[in-house]
Amino acid sequence: MQSLKLTRKEPLSPRITRFRFEHPEGAPLPIFAGGAHVMVQMQDGAVLRRNAYSLISDPADRSGYEIAVQREDQGRGGSRWMHEQAQPGMVMTIGAPVNLFALNLTAKRHLLIAGGVGITPFLAQVRDLGRIGAPYELHHAIRSAAEAVPLPDGARLHVSDQGSRMDLDAILSGQPLGTHLYVCGSDRMIRAVLDAARGLGWPADALHSEEFLAPAPGEPFAVHCARSHKTLTVGAHQSLLEALEAAGIDAPWLCRGGACGQCETDVIACDGTIDHHDHWLDPDEQAHKIMPCVSRFRGQLLTIDR
Amino acid sequence: MSTPPPTSTGFASRPLHAPLLARPCTAALMIADEAGASALLALAEATPELMPRTTVLLADAGVMNAALRARAPARLVETPLAGLEPALDALLAEARMGLQVHVAGSEGLIGRAVARLLAAGLPLGAIQSEHRGSPARRMQCVHCKTIAEDITTDPYTCPGCGRALYVREHFSRRLGAFQGVCIDAETPGEVPEPVEIQS
Ligand code: FES
């Protein structure tokens, strides 16, 4: 975690705002590769929020990091806080870049498909691709013109309510051998693109996806932490990971979005049902493990190894 | 001395599958030598609907050409084994993602075809191969880098540097070859009696 100064805040679309962070003394920031995200920490009243956002600025530009945040009024409040409370001049706590969506540089060509705000990791990746001279194709699918953000040259925009819906089969069918496919967007969009690609014969090792899961709200539930001898209640709008942190229990994390595997925790006893929301656990692991960053529990009592 | 390799899928570094299975695909490419052609026939038998989307590339397949032609693939190309690489490259130049490849035959054919496919950018996940026929291997000497085709004994003598090499179970997908390593490095001259490679 580092303290960085918010130096610029400007709208990219009615719901998406760009934020630029710089070192308070102007020191160069650690370099990253396109696809990386940072964890942004927000003190929202009594609640400490940590949201992951993809870096959208040029990875080679060490003078600042930029992110784009879409306002989610139904969300848990992090994006609303960024839109309403974060102001230029504030010093905020930002994590080091972590990359769970790296380009495969052995690919002969890169096909990048974004849905809505899922465009963000690609904005940094196309800078890397441009620098190394790798051929790529970028598609941005949005529902209405209000979701449009400035795109790099050559990117193709598909607006479904204007009848220019993305023709996935046509895009996926014409790609030369050695093309890798990257998709970022909603869960539904990612599934649609990956299913279409698999159905057309794309092998799994050419497919890459990233979805940021916000921890879903749900009913409050009780959890017993066997190692720390504590029993806590996870609030309706709190994740299990946040509840552990609030209770001072040491719990590892990296993506806070169910993708990296870092927070994996053993379940010792479970009198009820775990709602697994992650992309990490295999079905056969779900009976005895939980990912506290996104998953919840319904039932009498959950006992975990923390 | 090396032990015989585990059979088929026991081998992590080689993309071996048996039997070959049809997967969802836009187009298929089937490659075989004479010994492997029967594996392609079995695949065509099991999934005749695949054949109108399939190009068959046969390398010195002799009498098997006609049998495969009878399965009515979209296209059938014959090549001498020595011309495998250029024939394959010509087919791959037109290929698009969505291609699934099936290779069947000797170790040498599989190794050469897979190396070429990977070089063209096709991910390993789109390749299945099934070993048929001779257990002879394509070997590379780790010392002088000479590639030797059709090695049937372990140890063998490197045609490049003359060292006695034992057949290591390490397979390079990039080269499509197993590694041969000097067997008498510690006790020069003590070379065990060569034995036939089993599989
Ligand atoms: S922190 Fe990454 S999966 Fe939970």
Side-chain angles (χ1 to χ4, degrees):
Chain A
M1 289 286 183
Q2 46 193 336
S3 294
L4 299 182
K5 192 158 143 191
L6 174 54
T7 55
R8 242 176 26 225
K9 175 180 180 184
E10 56 203 343
L12 293 181
S13 81
R15 272 178 73 207
I16 300 176
T17 296
R18 170 165 58 197
F19 298 84
R20 181 178 174 84
F21 296 94
E22 293 175 13
H23 191 275
E25 273 87 53
L29 300 179
I31 206 155
F32 66 96
H37 69 263
V38 290
M39 203 60 68
V40 176
Q41 196 165 303
M42 304 163 228
Q43 194 62 55
D44 183 2
V47 184
L48 180 67
R49 300 192 188 284
R50 290 190 179 114
N51 281 15
Y53 295 107
S54 297
L55 291 166
I56 64 168
S57 45
D58 186 343
D61 173 11
R62 302 184 59 186
S63 69
Y65 289 159
E66 292 176 15
I67 59 171
V69 179
Q70 174 163 279
R71 187 185 167 114
E72 305 289 356
D73 287 318
Q74 308 312 318
R76 303 187 324 141
S79 66
R80 217 176 321 134
W81 190 91
M82 287 298 289
H83 278 247
E84 288 170 2
Q85 309 293 325
Q87 297 304 339
M90 281 174 61
V91 171
M92 293 179 60
T93 305
I94 312 285
V98 171
N99 202 336
L100 300 174
F101 192 46
L103 292 166
N104 181 327
L105 294 177
T106 66
K108 306 251 179 219
R109 182 181 163 82
H110 305 264
L111 171 61
L112 316 173
I113 300 184
V117 74
I119 187 72
T120 50
F122 297 133
L123 295 176
Q125 286 179 337
V126 297
R127 310 274 202 140
D128 283 339
L129 291 170
R131 213 166 1 251
I132 61 173
Y136 71 88
E137 190 177 313
L138 171 61
H139 295 267
H140 189 204
I142 55 178
R143 269 185 300 255
S144 71
E147 289 180 26
V149 295
L151 290 179
D153 286 350
R156 280 166 245 181
L157 183 65
H158 307 270
V159 191
S160 54
D161 77 355
Q162 291 176 1
S164 66
R165 183 178 265 282
M166 182 164 61
D167 183 350
L168 252 186
D169 277 11
I171 293 170
L172 294 173
S173 299
Q175 299 297 332
L177 229 52
T179 306
H180 278 236
L181 166 66
Y182 306 81
V183 53
C184 183
S186 67
D187 179 40
R188 224 180 76 222
M189 190 253 186
I190 291 175
R191 238 180 310 128
V193 173
L194 295 182
D195 285 351
R198 283 188 212 106
L200 289 168
W202 288 64
D205 39 353
L207 304 178
H208 314 268
S209 64
E210 180 165 77
E211 180 201 358
F212 277 114
L213 289 174
E219 291 298 310
F221 62 93
V223 58
H224 179 65
C225 301
R227 236 188 299 163
S228 355
H229 306 290
K230 281 185 188 166
T231 301
L232 353 156
T233 303
V234 181
H237 293 278
Q238 197 179 28
S239 70
L240 171 53
L241 178 60
E242 289 164 343
L244 294 172
E245 289 171 335
I249 295 171
D250 195 32
W253 55 270
L254 192 56
C255 71
R256 302 180 83 92
C260 72
Q262 197 63 225
C263 67
E264 189 177 294
T265 300
D266 288 334
V267 170
I268 296 170
C270 169
D271 180 9
T273 314
I274 298 175
D275 293 323
H276 293 281
H277 294 300
D278 60 277
H279 293 303
W280 179 259
L281 294 176
D282 289 332
D284 57 328
E285 293 175 315
Q286 292 186 340
H288 55 273
K289 287 178 191 295
I290 186 169
M291 308 307 285
C293 63
V294 289
S295 297
R296 303 186 70 85
F297 170 76
R298 281 176 294 135
Q300 286 308 310
L301 185 67
L302 176 71
T303 306
I304 61 173
D305 185 24
R306 284 284 177 229
Chain B
M1 286 280 292
S2 65
T3 47
T7 46
S8 68
T9 50
F11 226 85
S13 61
R14 281 185 296 164
L16 281 187
H17 306 76
L20 301 173
L21 293 176
R23 292 180 179 152
C25 67
T26 307
L29 173 60
M30 300 183 185
I31 306 166
D33 54 17
E34 188 165 8
S38 54
L40 299 190
L41 282 175
L43 177 60
E45 182 90 17
T47 47
E49 65 280 7
L50 191 59
M51 300 316 284
R53 280 177 287 158
T54 297
T55 298
V56 177
L57 174 61
L58 294 174
D60 281 340
V63 294
M64 299 303 279
N65 286 330
L68 270 153
R69 202 177 290 281
R71 298 291 166 181
R75 192 170 163 198
L76 189 144
V77 178
E78 293 174 27
T79 173
L81 194 53
L84 177 74
E85 281 82 1
L88 189 49
D89 287 351
L91 295 174
L92 294 177
E94 305 158 22
R96 293 282 174 270
M97 288 302 282
L99 179 74
Q100 288 284 337
V101 182
H102 307 268
V103 191
S106 66
E107 287 285 358
L109 175 94
I110 293 175
R112 283 167 60 188
V114 170
R116 211 63 176 189
L117 291 162
L118 295 178
L122 192 74
L124 199 62
I127 305 171
Q128 297 175 60
S129 51
E130 180 172 344
H131 181 217
R132 291 275 180 122
S134 152
R137 291 186 178 183
R138 175 176 159 91
M139 300 293 308
Q140 187 198 39
C141 169
V142 300
H143 312 284
C144 76
K145 309 296 178 204
T146 299
I147 298 242
E149 303 283 353
D150 290 327
I151 296 303
T152 55
T153 63
D154 178 13
Y156 75 100
T157 304
C158 175
C161 62
R163 284 185 176 89
L165 304 177
Y166 77 91
V167 174
R168 256 197 85 195
E169 290 310 321
H170 181 88
F171 180 77
S172 158
R173 288 194 296 242
R174 188 176 56 81
L175 297 166
F178 286 86
Q179 270 185 359
V181 180
C182 184
I183 200 167
D184 58 344
E186 276 149 39
T187 48
E190 244 179 69
V191 178
E193 216 29 52
V195 296
E196 289 286 316
I197 295 173
Q198 294 303 319
S199 63

